[in-house]
Amino acid sequence: MNIAVAADGESLESQVSEKFELCLYMLIVNMNDLTVTIIKTEELSGTSPEENLARKVLEYNCEAVITGNIKQTAFNILADAQVTRYFGFGHSVKDALELSENRLLNIIKDECRSHHH
């Protein structure tokens, strides 16, 4: 199972990004063996960062994404594909993954502007 994490750095010790569309890296983590595929978001082409990132999550067949706030365009793409969206801002990637595994992260149920959704 793959989980995408919007991150400020390239490692599991990096912080989860505050905003999905502004993350520097998208880490695709295979939860079976904890291998990580690193995507530098600056290398993605196109005019809509949030749409490009959301489509990249789908391309890697991720079951979930861990991020901070998320814009409506990306939210809709992910929700339509039944990708679970978790609010993980304020945690390291490693901690957020563990929290999501234990169902302790809030699910983003609509366009997220704060962690109270």
Side-chain angles (χ1 to χ4, degrees), residues 55-107:
R55 297 212 182 280
K56 190 58 78 171
V57 169
L58 300 184
E59 188 179 307
Y60 279 88
N61 202 25
C62 296
E63 292 187 18
V65 64
I66 299 173
T67 186
N69 296 336
I70 187 167
K71 288 188 174 181
Q72 194 67 50
T73 302
F75 176 88
N76 290 342
I77 291 168
L78 296 169
D80 289 348
Q82 299 179 335
V83 175
T84 306
R85 296 127 343 256
Y86 291 105
F87 188 88
F89 176 65
H91 299 283
S92 70
V93 172
K94 182 179 178 182
D95 289 347
L97 288 166
E98 188 174 312
L99 289 167
S100 71
E101 285 281 291
N102 293 314
R103 304 187 195 291
L104 296 173
L105 286 182
N106 291 330
I107 293 175

Side-chain angles (χ1 to χ4, degrees), residues 3-105:
I3 295 181
V5 185
D8 291 337
E10 299 182 22
S11 78
L12 294 178
E13 303 305 320
S14 303
Q15 294 296 303
V16 174
S17 292
E18 183 176 6
K19 295 183 179 181
F20 180 77
E21 72 279 2
L22 296 180
C23 70
L24 299 175
Y25 299 92
M26 182 64 65
L27 305 183
I28 308 296
V29 182
N30 180 317
M31 295 304 289
N32 297 324
D33 60 11
L34 290 182
T35 55
V36 180
T37 301
I38 301 167
I39 299 165
K40 290 184 180 180
T41 57
E42 68 182 17
E43 295 176 359
L44 298 178
S45 59
T47 56
S48 172
E50 65 267 16
E51 186 175 331
N52 294 336
L53 282 170
R55 297 212 182 280
K56 190 58 78 171
V57 169
L58 300 184
E59 188 179 307
Y60 279 88
N61 202 25
C62 296
E63 292 187 18
V65 64
I66 299 173
T67 186
N69 296 336
I70 187 167
K71 288 188 174 181
Q72 194 67 50
T73 302
F75 176 88
N76 290 342
I77 291 168
L78 296 169
D80 289 348
Q82 299 179 335
V83 175
T84 306
R85 296 127 343 256
Y86 291 105
F87 188 88
F89 176 65
H91 299 283
S92 70
V93 172
K94 182 179 178 182
D95 289 347
L97 288 166
E98 188 174 312
L99 289 167
S100 71
E101 285 281 291
N102 293 314
R103 304 187 195 291
L104 296 173
L105 286 182

